[in-house]
Amino acid sequence: MRAVVLSIGRELARGLWLDTHSRDIARALSALGIDVVRHVTLDDDTASIADALRRAADEADVIIASGGLGPTQDDCTRSALAEALGEELVENAEAMAHLERFAKARGQAVSRANRVQALLPKSARVLPNPVGTAVGIEAVIAGARLFCVPGVPVEMRTMLDEQVLPQLAESAGGRTMVVRTVRTFGLFESVVGEKLSDLMTPGRRPHVGTAVHSGVIDIHIYASGLRKEAEALVAADAATVRDRLGTAVFGEGHTGLEDAAAALLAERHATVAVAESCTGGLVAAKLVNVPGMSDHFVEGVVAYANASKVRTLGVDEALIARHGAVSEAVARAMAEGVRARAAADVALGVTGIAGPGGGTPDKPVGTVWMAVADSAGTDAARRLFMGDRAQIRQRAAYAALNMLRLRLMEAHRR
Amino acid sequence: MRAVVLSIGRELARGLWLDTHSRDIARALSALGIDVVRHVTLDDDTASIADALRRAADEADVIIASGGLGPTQDDCTRSALAEALGEELVENAEAMAHLERFAKARGQAVSRANRVQALLPKSARVLPNPVGTAVGIEAVIAGARLFCVPGVPVEMRTMLDEQVLPQLAESAGGRTMVVRTVRTFGLFESVVGEKLSDLMTPGRRPHVGTAVHSGVIDIHIYASGLRKEAEALVAADAATVRDRLGTAVFGEGHTGLEDAAAALLAERHATVAVAESCTGGLVAAKLVNVPGMSDHFVEGVVAYANASKVRTLGVDEALIARHGAVSEAVARAMAEGVRARAAADVALGVTGIAGPGGGTPDKPVGTVWMAVADSAGTDAARRLFMGDRAQIRQRAAYAALNMLRLRLMEAHRR
């Protein structure tokens, strides 16, 4: 089965807003083994939407269109569909009943503006929308099945999950696309490429590819086919990837470095504390975003000013004077200081120069010292990160979480 | 001038990766007053790329295509272009010289695999790439100007900025699209819609639209035309919007709530400290991301455990026992405690239930108490945020930054 995805809206076409619906819909269709040949982001223009619908019907079995179903003059998906079908728009009783229910729930009558939302091409059917006023539309255009859903994210998502995907899954006949993502941190992409070169040969099944962001390298493995066979192929590759990349692998799918560290904290029944300077609370914020962290995260200190490092973390003023605030000695003292204050099992200290100012030839912008302390002692490492202020802070936070993760793994083995 | 933007890559079409190039290119073209009618995200397939090129040439004056110029078998933009032009691929001397320069810089010869990158359709010209091995391609297809650039982000961006946009600006003859974004926080979208309803009439010039995320409502104002006239129109609307929405407006363009608060701190030569529970360091992290905050941000405490609230912030244990950790009294004590500890001019305290667990009928998930303290006293407010854990924390962080901003504005008037 082949599919074309359409996303409708002037702001989207002109690049004022980022179109994420096309990605979400394409991914969901791919998971059903449906071949998404392209997605198209279109202006709110009746003629060009009608044209896009006709072209999509020429080459695809399924078309999903989002957007343009609202009540304003900008919304022209309904009239474009009528044009593409060569039909007139007529008031649909089911759609009208839906609008009336929604208006009634608010104690109002259906407004003149809203009434246009009940106009559908004659041969089209209503696709129920449990979460908004705009009904979706189901139609057949030149033999292709078309589903139109609203552009409002929660409505799109609900109708896709509850109406569109179940209908398509039924007709996909057991074929599917299986995707697994193995996540790593701390390797160069070229090293990953070398270690996995035989798996990454073009045309090989499963297909193996890499994507890099903020020091995280994701290895995507995907195969389409009958579920069981595709799953076995992908599982075999995932095992090979894990084996070859070792402790650099921190998880799969949507697992973040903070999730991996949090899981280890839970396994060890360990508590953690964090002292941050340049990352300014990012490490704590990432950890605290993991549900259930109240059992493990005790305290974080954002010791941005030197006075705060001395007062709250107990860093020796003389140490700062001698080595500078961005130094191995201070990173160690921060980790040890916050560990003592919070009486935590393990603690991180991070201090660095995020820029744009503050760099020196010795310690250029991007220099970060980080330390991890537990009952076995304290380790420290110096890193140099590239990018702007936000990127340097992001990468430093990831590197610190990875340091915590590796320390907790070692502690397991002790 | 009308444009179509093409983005080429299997991972993009299937929704495994998010296509941001189309948005970036569409936005840059819109800024030149070029009408982007659609962008298309395509699979790596010679026939369908060739078809998309021909169709785009039918209806646009300019086509920008990114991706598919690499050396592997997946990369078929070159052959698709040859097919669309009805020409053969021949070795281009300029492209070959570029490959040789790049290989030489690495002390290597041009590899067999890389040689295919010098094959161009006969009538095409090289678009220089200063930052990578893949040269871009410039061609004319059925009267439309086509620019092909690599998909690697830094290469796409460099070639767009240095080659494509200057050439297009020259032929755009002074026409441009002017966009301004006025940013607000703390209003309902329906209220903004009412206050600006006359400006938002469909078809009006400038076009005024709203976008909402995490409590921030952006008002986009845009007009195309000759620069000076369009700028004047947009400026007049921006002034009206600012006037009608008052102190809810915190900035324009890419200004964040943290930037607005930081600017006020700088104006007042004031220092700030933050005590956070549910937001876990997010408020501090946002503030510290503003360059130059080392002069103003003194200290942040992530007092996640109650023991930490008592020990580090000096919150009375009895207060927590009586009112609970998520309460007005504790939020006030946290703000006052961190203000005293850091000897800061102004301080925030944030405590809440981010979920998924921990809610009660009295204090459901999403309940957040926040307080701001300065020399004039302490104010507190209760909020209820919807969404998942990450959304609740994000919204709470924004609301706290807004509270800080408004307090600093008032302090100005005192």
Side-chain angles (χ1 to χ4, degrees):
Chain A
M1 236 186 334
R2 289 158 62 90
V4 166
V5 176
L6 306 178
S7 217
I8 295 160
R10 176 152 308 171
E11 284 77 10
L12 297 171
R14 295 204 172 156
L16 226 61
W17 295 351
L18 179 62
D19 173 18
T20 54
H21 284 9
S22 291
R23 186 266 314 261
D24 294 345
I25 296 171
R27 184 182 287 187
L29 296 179
S30 295
L32 293 177
I34 295 171
D35 206 11
V36 179
V37 291
R38 61 193 153 88
H39 40 87
V40 184
T41 313
L42 280 163
D43 198 354
D44 299 300
D45 176 80
T46 307
S48 71
I49 299 170
D51 187 48
L53 286 169
R54 278 188 298 254
R55 286 180 174 184
D58 269 356
E59 55 176 320
D61 311 296
V62 175
I63 308 165
I64 318 272
S66 68
L69 293 178
T72 73
Q73 298 170 52
D74 270 4
D75 297 296
C76 46
T77 300
R78 283 178 297 269
S79 48
L81 175 57
E83 193 179 311
L85 289 167
E87 295 180 12
E88 277 180 33
L89 286 171
V90 293
E91 190 173 296
N92 180 296
E94 194 183 338
M96 199 60 213
H98 173 85
L99 288 174
E100 278 162 359
R101 265 198 309 279
F102 251 82
K104 207 177 160 190
R106 298 182 183 179
Q108 296 173 328
V110 177
S111 70
R112 236 176 103 90
N114 278 118
R115 291 186 79 92
V116 301
Q117 292 183 286
L119 299 177
L120 262 59
K122 241 179 171 170
S123 71
R125 283 181 302 150
V126 163
L127 199 65
N129 177 355
V131 287
T133 50
V135 295
I137 305 174
E138 211 187 319
V140 174
I141 172 167
R145 292 176 73 179
L146 167 71
F147 299 89
C148 298
V149 295
V152 181
V154 60
E155 302 181 23
M156 184 283 282
R157 197 69 236 185
T158 307
M159 294 170 74
L160 188 71
D161 289 346
E162 294 181 6
Q163 317 275 348
V164 181
L165 296 177
Q167 287 199 42
L168 291 176
E170 212 169 285
S171 32
R175 280 187 65 85
T176 185
M177 157 121 22
V178 176
V179 186
R180 266 173 76 172
T181 302
V182 178
R183 312 199 73 190
T184 72
F185 187 86
L187 297 173
F188 287 111
E189 195 184 9
S190 57
V191 171
V192 173
E194 261 170 50
K195 293 196 178 197
L196 306 181
S197 65
D198 55 326
L199 306 184
M200 292 176 75
T201 313
R204 181 176 171 278
R205 180 166 175 266
H207 174 94
V208 176
T210 57
V212 191
H213 42 94
S214 300
V216 173
I217 300 180
D218 284 335
I219 294 104
H220 297 295
I221 309 164
Y222 52 107
S224 58
L226 293 173
R227 175 171 299 279
K228 238 178 156 173
E229 188 240 354
E231 273 177 352
L233 276 173
V234 168
D237 269 16
T240 309
V241 168
R242 282 179 161 277
D243 185 52
R244 292 192 194 165
L245 304 183
T247 56
V249 174
F250 64 84
E252 288 203 15
H254 294 290
T255 303
L257 277 161
E258 61 274 28
D259 300 303
L264 289 166
L265 287 168
E267 255 179 67
R268 291 193 64 192
H269 306 287
T271 55
V272 66
V274 179
E276 306 178 61
S277 176
C278 63
T279 47
L282 263 188
V283 177
K286 283 180 192 295
L287 278 172
V288 167
N289 201 39
V290 182
M293 275 306 283
S294 43
D295 294 338
H296 304 287
F297 189 94
V298 187
E299 184 166 339
V301 174
V302 182
Y304 209 61
N306 285 341
S308 157
K309 295 186 181 78
V310 174
R311 184 177 53 227
T312 303
L313 298 174
V315 178
D316 187 347
E317 238 179 315
L319 217 59
I320 299 177
R322 200 173 329 128
H323 301 284
V326 178
S327 60
E328 175 168 6
V330 171
R332 284 174 177 271
M334 286 171 69
E336 289 164 7
V338 81
R339 180 167 178 263
R341 158 173 284 281
D345 296 315
V346 57
L348 286 171
V350 187
T351 175
I353 302 155
T360 63
D362 235 28
K363 294 177 186 171
V365 167
T367 302
V368 179
W369 271 101
M370 44 189 78
V372 61
D374 66 9
S375 61
T378 307
D379 281 332
R382 179 190 167 127
R383 297 285 158 75
L384 183 64
F385 300 108
M386 301 294 150
D388 64 19
R389 184 176 175 86
Q391 287 165 334
I392 288 167
R393 294 175 63 241
Q394 184 71 36
R395 283 166 179 245
Y398 277 142
L401 288 168
N402 195 51
M403 198 172 192
L404 172 63
R405 177 181 74 88
L406 292 173
R407 182 61 160 244
L408 290 165
M409 285 176 71
E410 277 167 34
H412 254 298
R413 284 198 293 270
R414 278 200 297 264
Chain B
M1 233 185 337
R2 289 158 62 89
V4 166
V5 176
L6 306 178
S7 218
I8 296 159
R10 177 153 306 172
E11 283 78 10
L12 297 171
R14 295 204 171 154
L16 227 62
W17 295 350
L18 179 62
D19 174 17
T20 54
H21 283 10
S22 290
R23 187 264 316 260
D24 293 344
I25 296 171
R27 184 182 287 187
L29 295 180
S30 295
L32 292 177
I34 296 170
D35 206 11
V36 180
V37 291
R38 62 193 152 85
H39 39 87
V40 185
T41 311
L42 280 164
D43 197 355
D44 300 300
D45 176 80
T46 306
S48 71
I49 300 170
D51 188 48
L53 286 169
R54 278 188 297 255
R55 285 181 174 184
D58 269 357
E59 55 176 321
D61 312 294
V62 175
I63 308 164
I64 318 273
S66 67
L69 293 178
T72 74
Q73 297 168 51
D74 271 2
D75 297 296
C76 47
T77 300
R78 281 179 298 269
S79 48
L81 175 58
E83 193 179 312
L85 288 168
E87 296 180 13
E88 280 181 30
L89 286 171
V90 293
E91 188 173 298
N92 180 296
E94 196 183 338
M96 199 59 214
H98 174 83
L99 288 174
E100 278 163 358
R101 264 197 311 278
F102 251 80
K104 206 177 160 190
R106 299 181 182 180
Q108 296 173 329
V110 177
S111 71
R112 238 176 104 91
N114 278 119
R115 289 187 80 92
V116 300
Q117 292 182 286
L119 298 178
L120 262 59
K122 240 180 170 169
S123 71
R125 280 181 304 151
V126 163
L127 199 64
N129 177 355
V131 287
T133 50
V135 295
I137 305 175
E138 210 187 321
V140 174
I141 173 167
R145 292 176 73 177
L146 166 71
F147 299 89
C148 298
V149 296
V152 181
V154 60
E155 301 181 23
M156 183 284 278
R157 197 68 236 186
T158 306
M159 292 171 75
L160 188 72
D161 289 346
E162 294 183 6
Q163 317 275 347
V164 180
L165 295 177
Q167 286 198 42
L168 290 176
E170 211 168 288
S171 33
R175 279 186 68 84
T176 184
M177 158 124 18
V178 175
V179 187
R180 265 172 78 171
T181 303
V182 177
R183 313 200 73 190
T184 71
F185 188 85
L187 297 173
F188 287 111
E189 195 185 8
S190 58
V191 171
V192 172
E194 262 170 49
K195 292 198 176 196
L196 306 181
S197 64
D198 54 325
L199 306 184
M200 292 176 74
T201 314
R204 181 176 170 278
R205 178 164 176 265
H207 175 94
V208 175
T210 57
V212 191
H213 43 92
S214 301
V216 172
I217 301 181
D218 285 333
I219 293 105
H220 297 294
I221 308 164
Y222 50 105
S224 58
L226 293 174
R227 176 170 298 281
K228 238 179 155 169
E229 188 239 353
E231 274 176 352
L233 276 172
V234 169
D237 268 17
T240 307
V241 168
R242 282 180 161 274
D243 185 50
R244 292 193 194 162
L245 304 182
T247 57
V249 174
F250 64 83
E252 289 204 13
H254 294 289
T255 302
L257 278 162
E258 62 273 30
D259 300 304
L264 289 167
L265 287 169
E267 255 179 67
R268 291 192 65 191
H269 305 287
T271 54
V272 66
V274 178
E276 307 177 61
S277 178
C278 63
T279 47
L282 263 189
V283 178
K286 283 179 194 294
L287 278 172
V288 168
N289 201 39
V290 181
M293 275 306 283
S294 43
D295 293 340
H296 304 286
F297 188 94
V298 186
E299 185 165 338
V301 174
V302 183
Y304 209 59
N306 285 341
S308 158
K309 294 185 183 77
V310 174
R311 185 176 52 226
T312 303
L313 298 174
V315 178
D316 187 348
E317 238 177 317
L319 215 59
I320 299 177
R322 201 173 327 128
H323 301 283
V326 177
S327 60
E328 174 168 5
V330 171
R332 284 173 177 273
M334 286 171 69
E336 289 163 7
V338 81
R339 180 167 177 262
R341 158 173 284 280
D345 295 315
V346 57
L348 286 171
V350 187
T351 177
I353 303 154
T360 65
D362 235 30
K363 294 177 186 171
V365 167
T367 302
V368 179
W369 270 101
M370 45 189 78
V372 61
D374 66 9
S375 60
T378 307
D379 281 333
R382 180 190 166 126
R383 298 285 157 76
L384 183 65
F385 301 107
M386 301 294 151
D388 64 18
R389 184 176 174 86
Q391 287 165 334
I392 288 169
R393 295 175 63 242
Q394 184 72 36
R395 282 165 181 247
Y398 278 142
L401 287 169
N402 195 51
M403 199 173 192
L404 173 63
R405 177 182 73 90
L406 292 173
R407 181 61 160 246
L408 289 166
M409 284 175 72
E410 278 167 31
H412 255 298
R413 285 198 294 268
R414 279 201 296 262

